[in-house]
Amino acid sequence: MRLLFMILAVLSSPVATAQWAVYDKKVHEQLTFINHIVEIKGSEFTKLDQHFKNQLGAAAANGGGDLTLGDGDSKAVLKALDTKFDGLTELSDEDKKKYLGTVQDCGDDKLNPAHFQACAGLRNLRLQTLKQSQSLLKTLDARRKQIVQLVEKSRSLGANGQPSRAGELQRYQFELQAQQALLQTDAMQLQILMDGYRQRENVYEMQMAEARRATDTRPPGSLVKLGAVPFSKDLMKKLD
């Protein structure tokens, strides 16, 4: 019991109280150092409404559900899967010459309009995919530069005599994680869209094959029994 009273007397002394006050102040300073998160000022690359812009248009009968990535010079518009590529007017003659170099030859649109539309749709779909992929490279490059600038900015914390705060580094980590999450979401959208483009190609090829079969005008009682016009082997492999 005497020992307990001695300990209480020491702890209640002014010297012990002042010492604990110093400890409390140091603890408070450390908590502030770790948890004080401030705004990253003057950092245009942290804005997510420019190069990181992602907008999906409203679906419509004319293919209005286009996916827009980026803005300004890095803007890339990816056509919706329900776009009628056979009547697409966005591809200029310069684009067709740049990506293909040959004049469209899909047969006679009056003799077999179904085959002509399917052929034109397949041709425009592939050309549009190339054009979209090239424009998308600018958007991806701009986003990569933003991430690089963010990393370089975080490396300057505490350098050249500037005060260092762990909370600021936490803010940079959050910004970087957010941009990485957005990139992953965009990559998933692009993967789904590109898979859909391949499905549209298969559909156009199937329409072309069906249109060719419709031109088999041999009478049922013909002496030559050749059967129906067969699908090509390459097309059957794609459809499988």
Side-chain angles (χ1 to χ4, degrees):
M1 182 65 70
R2 182 180 300 176
L3 179 61
L4 180 60
F5 281 115
M6 292 177 63
I7 294 175
L8 292 175
V10 172
L11 293 178
S12 60
S13 64
V15 176
T17 304
Q19 187 175 6
W20 279 110
V22 173
Y23 289 153
D24 291 342
K25 181 179 180 182
K26 292 294 184 181
V27 171
H28 183 269
E29 291 177 354
Q30 288 297 321
L31 291 175
T32 304
F33 176 80
I34 296 173
N35 298 315
H36 182 63
I37 300 178
V38 297
E39 179 184 1
I40 303 177
K41 297 181 179 180
S43 302
E44 296 295 330
F45 52 86
T46 60
K47 293 183 178 180
L48 301 179
D49 57 349
Q50 295 178 350
H51 302 304
F52 275 85
K53 182 179 180 180
N54 186 323
Q55 183 177 1
L56 183 63
N62 59 351
D66 300 340
L67 177 63
T68 302
L69 296 178
D71 199 0
D73 296 336
S74 64
K75 182 178 180 180
V77 180
L78 289 82
K79 302 302 295 181
L81 294 177
D82 59 350
T83 301
K84 295 181 179 179
F85 290 96
D86 55 319
L88 192 65
T89 58
E90 294 182 8
L91 290 170
S92 63
D93 293 337
E94 290 77 10
D95 291 334
K96 296 177 181 179
K97 183 178 180 180
K98 176 181 179 181
Y99 293 106
L100 196 59
T102 57
V103 180
Q104 176 176 313
D105 187 8
C106 290
D108 192 342
D109 59 337
K110 295 182 176 60
L111 180 62
N112 196 336
H115 180 275
F116 181 86
Q117 291 179 0
C119 175
L122 178 60
R123 190 175 189 270
N124 291 338
L125 169 60
R126 288 173 173 171
L127 288 174
Q128 185 70 19
T129 303
L130 289 174
K131 182 180 178 181
Q132 291 174 172
S133 299
Q134 183 170 351
S135 61
L136 186 60
L137 291 176
K138 297 180 180 179
T139 304
L140 297 178
D141 181 67
R143 295 182 177 186
R144 184 183 183 279
K145 290 180 180 178
Q146 283 183 313
I147 294 177
V148 171
Q149 292 174 359
L150 186 62
V151 173
E152 291 179 347
K153 187 73 174 179
S154 65
R155 289 180 176 178
S156 64
L157 295 177
N160 299 325
Q162 297 180 1
S164 58
R165 298 185 182 90
E168 291 186 22
L169 184 58
Q170 292 184 29
R171 178 57 185 266
Y172 280 101
Q173 291 175 341
F174 170 78
E175 294 285 347
L176 182 59
Q177 291 172 355
Q179 293 188 5
Q180 290 176 335
L182 291 174
L183 286 175
Q184 291 176 353
T185 304
D186 293 341
M188 185 179 298
Q189 285 183 315
L190 294 175
Q191 183 64 43
I192 294 174
L193 191 60
M194 293 305 170
D195 290 342
Y197 281 163
R198 284 191 286 269
Q199 296 298 325
R200 285 296 303 266
E201 288 186 354
N202 292 336
V203 170
Y204 277 130
E205 290 172 349
M206 182 172 60
Q207 290 175 342
M208 291 173 62
E210 291 175 347
R212 286 194 296 268
R213 288 171 64 90
T215 60
D216 185 8
T217 58
R218 288 169 294 184
S222 176
L223 296 176
V224 181
K225 301 295 184 180
L226 298 178
V229 178
F231 287 102
S232 64
K233 295 181 179 180
D234 295 336
L235 178 60
M236 292 302 296
K237 292 180 180 179
K238 292 182 179 180
L239 294 178
D240 290 339

